[in-house]
Amino acid sequence: MEAKDRLIFPLDVSTSAQALQLVSLLDQHVGVFKIGLELFVANGPKIVEQIAEETAAGIFLDLKLHDIPATVQGAIQHACRLKGVNFITVHCVPKLMEAAVSAASARVKILAVTVLTSLDTSDLLALGI
């Protein structure tokens, strides 16, 4: 494993042009490109396909899915059909994780999000944590 394979670069931009420019610039130095919710919603699945065409690096869909299990399962099935996707995030809720894992293909790993970094102590207390 090369050092670059351990690097995940967040494509925290909103346009496909910005994302593709970063992919072109960093392709030889990054193992995985992260596509967050803003970029994905602004550009749809097409941005995943465009990035996959430009790089051999992996793709991390950081969508933090949180819905009823059947909906998460369907979303994971569709996301797994996108070329290059290696990781997808879901919120850490047992039934959601079970649905996500059952729908994931062998090449896609499901990552569970426990606590968002934007939450502070008062937020966690309000949630009963």
Side-chain angles (χ1 to χ4, degrees):
M1 174 186 269
E2 292 183 50
K4 79 170 194 158
D5 294 332
R6 293 185 292 227
L7 294 177
I8 299 173
F9 185 84
L11 296 171
D12 291 339
V13 296
S14 58
T15 70
S16 59
Q18 291 168 310
L20 293 169
Q21 182 179 16
L22 288 168
V23 169
S24 176
L25 180 67
L26 299 170
D27 183 38
Q28 300 303 311
H29 308 286
V30 173
V32 176
F33 286 101
K34 179 186 77 82
I35 298 172
L37 188 59
E38 181 180 358
L39 181 61
F40 188 78
V41 170
N43 299 279
K46 182 177 178 181
I47 190 61
V48 178
E49 300 290 341
Q50 289 174 315
I51 290 170
E53 291 297 320
E54 296 297 319
T55 183
I59 295 175
F60 169 13
L61 275 181
D62 189 18
L63 303 180
K64 298 176 186 79
L65 299 173
H66 192 166
D67 207 316
I68 63 172
T71 299
V72 169
Q73 188 174 36
I76 295 292
Q77 287 172 340
H78 289 291
C80 287
R81 292 183 190 124
L82 297 172
K83 180 181 175 185
V85 173
N86 301 99
F87 303 97
I88 304 171
T89 52
V90 300
H91 275 269
C92 187
V93 177
K95 289 181 181 177
L96 296 184
M97 293 185 308
E98 289 171 15
V101 169
S102 73
S105 66
R107 75 174 159 79
V108 176
K109 293 168 184 61
I110 303 299
L111 305 176
V113 176
T114 54
V115 176
L116 299 175
T117 57
S118 63
L119 299 179
D120 62 19
T121 302
S122 65
D123 295 320
L124 295 174
L125 289 171
L127 291 169
I129 299 174

